[in-house]
Amino acid sequence: MRITCPHCGERDHREFYYKGHALALERPAADAGEAAWDDYVYLRENPAGVTRDLWYHEGGCGAWVVVTRSTLTHEVLSTEPASEARA
Amino acid sequence: MRIEGKGLIARDHRVSFTFDGVRYSGFEGDTLASALLANDVRLVARSFKYHRPRGILTAGSEEPNALVTIGSGGRQDPNVRATVQELYDGLEARSQNRWPSLEFDLLSVNNLAAPFFGAGFYYKTFMWPRAFWEKLYEPMIRKAAGLGALSGQDNADCYERAFAFCDLLVIGAGPAGLMAALVAGRAGADVILADEDARMGGRLLAETYEVDGKPGHVWVEEVLAELRAMDNVRLMTRTTVAGAYDHGTFAALERVSHHRADRGAGAPLECYWRIVARRSVLAAGALERPVAFRDNDRPGIMTAGAVRAYLNRWGVAPGKAVTVFGNNDDAHRTVRDLMAAGVHVAALIDSRHDAPEVDGVQMIRGGQVCGSMGGRGLEAITVRRTSGEERIQTDCLAMSGGWNPSVHLTCHMNGRPEWRRDIASFVPVPGAVPGLRAAGACNGAFSTAACLREGAAMAAAALEDLGIKVPQVATPDAEDTPYALEPLWAVPGKGRAWLDFQNDVTVKDVKQAAVENFRSVEHMKRYTTQGMATDQGKNSNVAALAVLADATGRGIPETGTTTFRPPYSPIAIAALGAGAEGKGFQPQRFTTSHAATVARGAPMIEAGLWYRPSYFPKPGETDWRQSCDREVGYVRNAVGVADVSTLGKIDIQGADAAKLLDFVYTNMFSTLKVGRVRYGLMLREDGHVMDDGTTARLGEDHFVMTTTTAAAGEVMKHLEFVAQGLHPEWDVSLTSVTEQWAQFAVAGPKAREVLNGVLDTPLDPTEWPFMSCGAVSVLGVVARLFRISFSGEQGYEVAVPARYGASLFDILVKRAEALGGGPYGMEALNVLRIEKGFITHSEIHGRTTAYDIGMGGMVSAKKDCIGKTMSQRPGLEEPGRECLVGLKPVGQDGRLLAGAHIYREEAEPKRTNDQGYITSVCHSPTLGHMIGLAFLADGPARYGEIVKMVDGLRGVTTLCEVVNPIFFDADGGRMRG
Amino acid sequence: MDNLVAKSPCAGLLPLTVGRSTATEVDAGKMTMVSPRKGHAEALGKAMQSAHGLGFPAPNSAGTAGEVRAIWFGHSSALLIGTEPADGVREAAALVDQSDAWAVVRLEGAGAEDVLARLVPIDLRLVSFPVGATVRSKIGHMSGSVTRVGEDAFWLMVFRSMAETLVHDLKSAMEAVAARG
Amino acid sequence: MRFSGLRVLKEGLTGNKGWRPHWRDPEPKPEYDIVIIGGGGHGLSTAYYLARDHGLKNIAVLERGYIGGGNIGRNTTIVRANYFLQGNSEFYSHSLKLWEGLEEDLNYNVMHSQRGIINLFHSDGQRDAAARRGNMMISQGDDAILLGREELRKMVPYLNFDDLRFPLYGGLYHPRGGTARHDAVAWGYARGADQRGVDLIQNCEVTGIDIENGKVKGVQTVRGPIRAKKVAMVAAGRSSQVAAMAGMRLPIESHILQAFVTEGLKPVIDNVITFGMGHFYISQSDKGGLVFGGDLDFYASYAARGNLPTVEHVMEAGMALMPMIGKAKVLRSWGGIMDMSPDGSPIIDKTHIDGLYVNCGWNYGGFKAVPGSGSVFAHLIATGNYHPASTRHRLDRFRTGRGIIDEEGKGSQHNLH
């Protein structure tokens, strides 16, 4: 699998560490309540199709990258730096 | 038998080899298979289940029968296909799966018991008596199973791995592949042409066709010469593209030295390539399929294309009287080529009533071979025609059931090939592997001209995708005969007709599977083991599917499609994992004091990727405990020196650095004063402890964080995630400085004295209270000093740029020794911290909370931090949780063991009574008995209680008293002093 | 009086020549990680240009100005090599001394590309990786930095503690390449 | 038809004409008491134990493809009970006991082979963790033996004792652990369930779950609607999609796990060996192939195929640990879709919808759990109460923080378990 790092360009995925769904960027407020936190930390939509997930270019430039891709075909649709993804 | 004047072998280079100890000779350019056939060796192997005598079926890597072992000792290579192994002088090959010999194999008795060994028989028996399975039945089955054997010795050959990149990868160098490479090469594209054979050319080397008005192999040489001259084209012979993976990534195996007698030159035996191609053309050709009939597995029965290959490429006639049996026009070529070479053709049997005439041979139209005779090699066949059965004496049968396009790679990404009725074969679905186009025979185009055309066209299409201009390349003239066949999968009749030769799966087995309701193709495959032999069904899957379709009254497309998984042909583990033997498995990280430490005889232990000393033995010490106790004594009574450079160190700078720390630690860091250090506890977002360590404030916007050795990488990722993902608006920069600084703990009552010997300005105790830090000058070098303690004694950590680490370590140790101290290792470090109740990852093992380790109070109420909300879930704070305590044995000699579990004194030691477990133990030389840290249900409320430690594994039960985990100097006076 | 003696990361391990490639240790001098402060990227570039003669390098590129080099080193950092950062740089960036953190090895010779093709999952052939190109990637199992410093010469950098593994991996690859002739 | 050696003999002598289908292919009925979604190992064993232990017969197992086509058809066949946390310890112990009587019970030779499992350790810390695990196993009534380096060398002399990157300190030996013929387990349960009247319906994908007023009413399928009093979701690999039909989100991420088999070789590895430092485990099948695997591919995926970095890592671990397997050739690799839960342990529970049950989150340890899972899930469905061996596999444990069973200690990141 090859992933385009927004800084480095297309790279073998062996350079990347995978964290999970990009909803990790949407951290709830401390007082958001039990359901919101359960959603954030544990529950997953886990789609069979397009998903957005977080990869860390650990063996490369150290950027956290949001990757939009298909879990069925592994096709990568787009990538962007996590630092710009939340806006 | 060798035919003079035929073949592309080097007749002037004779080489000698042995098979089962018998010496034979062949020529350079031979495969082991062609040389054996040239020497009239027909019996080459035994089958898997029935130990049937087997010969050579094919002339390629799909060979299911002729598997041999090459070499011996650490170089012993089992299951090598004789059809792929190139001959070299001194080659030693042995047959497999036979005892005592290939000729007389006792287990061929299985063949007589075949009626009881039908599909799935073992699921129905061997169940009684129960104990017999492991003791009798299974060992028996295991012993009989398997073909070749590993030597049991460490692999002695060298392997390597490499990466390659290209615009266009062309897989297969037959007519289609060569044309594709030629077009792309002339266009200036960056091309790799890979072919599994030692010699490029594919079927053009095995046939007598002309291309562009000259013999096919001559045209091949001309094209190769042009390609070799191009800088932008790489030719990879002996390279099997074995797997298609995501985004243009391919795995390929290059057989670098299998054909070389001398491998001593340090050359790798194989190279495993990862090829990244922007586009690819699959030109893998097609594989001929056998026809199933009674006893179609005797040595001497081969595919018709293989017979032509042996004749035309290697100048070998596999028999003296060859019979050809087919259902298609292509088989007729075999007759023509054999006759032209002067080989007697006994008959041509074509199952089609309307088959075209072939002159000069006895032709039986509408006939079917329905049986074979012979002992260890074919002697005669029986042919059935409407008028009755007839016996034909023959020692070689060339059979052809048609050709299967090599669609394998197009299945590797879950592509399902589709059925083409006109050629009775599966063909690839375009797009099955993104960026890959199939051309030629693997795409169902069987004439040479069609292959050339498709090769050129697919390369052109690929280049157009890439925006590379495509030159006009004329397609050379070549035969363009249509391919006509009438499907024939299995000749009806009694007896056993083989589908999967190696695994001994017969038509009957497939039918029986269908009767037993294993009607799904996957069920049939798994129930009969059809297609699971070393050829992965290359020779048999389509026919087996057809038999199943027939047995279940369905068409082939409805029955299912065959699929193939990587690798295309088997790859040695040594190639895939090349370089990982021994220390090559993972990087080794050495501290700057490593050499000095080893020189002192310290046994080294792994800490993550790092190496750290266990202890520093002294002459006369016979046991590690003596060394350890002595080193603990250094620190408690004088001074000890330890290299602590392996701890992670992260430089954190920026206007929002303090904010970041407040957010990732449970406690406050924005309130920390410049020049001071604070211990911090870090949680994961799920509320459990991630790591701990000290962080020093070097400047208003400048901190340096310490992590544990094990968690350094994880913490760095975590901080980057917070900085980039959760708070990209913060001004903060993170840099690992673990490697920049060599850092040494100097601890003990005489620590200051040692340091004053190297500091350019002596320490003023009032300026350097406990938990202070700052820049210092060490022997003229700018350094950092931290007054922190992991031992409970007055302690400092001094950091110098790593280039001076080795030197400073020597100086500190020398000075410590002069004061009655010295270096200490991990064992002593562990004792010191357990005596103080300090935790490590033995305690913060990922399942504990701040509350569990008695640090609930460190979670600041004033702010949010990572993990805070989830740490307040009811289940993580309620009574009954296992919390950190100290344990000491009731008697001085009581033995504690880490990993032991804890029970109430009177309770039976069973799971339902479990109260906790011990995480760390040591013998405390300071206290004179063992001590331990443990997690105990409601632990802190139970100080003074006597509990029972039980270690069932080692048979130790010890009564212990639950105590405060800080065993020594509870008020911390010594480390503040 | 005690005296601190400096020791380089590859001391005792290099130089090494096998076949047509040679690995030698580089004493790069002062190395400083330069990370622009939030909102100061432009100012940093200008400060570097005026003080050191080269700007903050673009991703995957390395600049040189006389003895000074700047190698792009991460999503928001570069390694300034061969000089003390000037005051203007100090104002616009977080600076971290890395002079002792990295082993720097020069690999050169006609076989160098083939050697690296065995270790680095990136196309490092001259056409796709010209002089002045750099990557952060993996060298074997290690995170590292590869920069082309000449037509047939590269700088390889890994953490100092892994110098021995780097040399081990290089040696294996160099031998395999050499054995092929 | 009862299977036996005698039967095989008799059939062999009479032309093997008497064999009958191992299970029927019935048409779906309009209504069942219980519909089980998923005809994999867990679904089939659940049906079997509902029939065997609770006398229930009006049950359908709905399978989208062919029975046994999920992870039970693509795993590394290891059977063990060597867990150390409450919740898992008693559950896998229960499961192993069922394995030990499975052949007689099913009258089907699933080739359960108790050849022993060795978990290697490489440091004092790892020995302590192994001891904690072994002691838990013993306190649960199971077997565990702590092997020192020399004892280990006697058992498996071909490991790299000389220069392994992470040296061998010893191993935790679990003699009752072993392997089984994975497909046969599915077929044996299918046959057993069928014989007890359960309808196994293949090629019957469920497309919807009918819920009225918080109570389950049945399912929609490609072969029409089927009413049901109770519906059990046992569709590992597709758990999230099935649950979504009921409007639920699960704490599950789907990941790829690859596995590998070599060509058939004469016996050379007698036990199951696991090399934690390399995330590598290996055994040799009765057919002679070395069957081995490693860690996940790490990214969420339903593609049932992996990529090269993981392949290479697994092979590296193999070469590091036992360089004598170098010449064994990998014949086939494949990928399965793992239901990764946030603590690495399964979920076997009721849901907030009346009559709807869920069984998921087996991570990569579902095969050994097949008998236990079916037995405790059947108990829950039939009685409404938790089986004593599975009181902790609750769906709400993450929300409440009560009884999280995190053997790896990796926390809520799914792919780290």
Side-chain angles (χ1 to χ4, degrees), chain B residues 44-63:
Chain B
V44 177
R46 291 277 173 171
S47 69
F48 185 86
K49 186 163 146 190
Y50 299 136
H51 290 246
R52 299 264 296 185
R54 289 292 164 77
I56 293 160
L57 180 71
T58 73
S61 66
E62 72 275 22
E63 175 61 33

Side-chain angles (χ1 to χ4, degrees), chain D residues 44 47 49 54 70 72 78 80 104 139 145 174 251 268 286 303-304 306 318 322 379 386:
Chain D
L44 293 167
Y49 291 111
H54 305 281
I72 197 166
I78 296 169
R80 60 187 168 93
E104 289 85 346
S139 74
I145 297 168
H174 172 35
V268 62
D286 286 344
M322 39 176 84
H379 182 94
Y386 296 103

Side-chain angles (χ1 to χ4, degrees), chain D residues 379-407:
Chain D
H379 182 94
L380 179 66
I381 295 166
T383 68
N385 301 317
Y386 296 103
H387 188 285
S390 178
T391 57
R392 295 174 188 239
H393 297 127
R394 307 281 284 265
L395 189 51
D396 69 356
R397 65 182 184 264
F398 307 107
R399 190 169 46 77
T400 64
R402 279 193 190 94
I404 293 172
I405 316 170
D406 184 356
E407 298 257 344

Side-chain angles (χ1 to χ4, degrees), chain B residues 77-79 81 97 123 130 134 138 155 157 161 414 516-517 523 526 571 587 611 873 911 952, chain D residues 22-23 67 73 100 104 109 113-114 135 140 165 181 183 263 266 286 303 316 327 329-330 398 400:
Chain B
D77 201 355
N79 298 346
R81 288 138 192 80
N97 199 34
Y123 303 127
R130 189 165 127 183
E134 277 92 356
E138 189 180 44
N155 180 45
D157 283 302
R161 299 190 294 198
N414 299 341
E516 296 188 42
N517 206 5
H523 280 158
R526 291 155 186 264
I571 305 183
Y611 287 82
R873 280 178 285 172
R911 180 188 57 81
Chain D
H22 288 209
W23 52 82
I67 59 168
E100 286 171 334
E104 289 85 346
N109 187 357
S113 166
Q114 294 188 290
N135 278 319
Q140 170 60 33
R165 174 67 180 81
R181 170 82 180 95
D183 290 320
E263 297 175 339
K266 293 296 173 194
D286 286 344
E316 288 169 16
K327 289 286 199 300
K329 297 175 192 73
V330 174
F398 307 107
T400 64

Side-chain angles (χ1 to χ4, degrees), chain D residues 28-39:
Chain D
K29 291 190 280 191
E31 180 164 6
Y32 291 92
D33 291 340
I34 300 167
V35 157
I36 294 169
I37 304 174

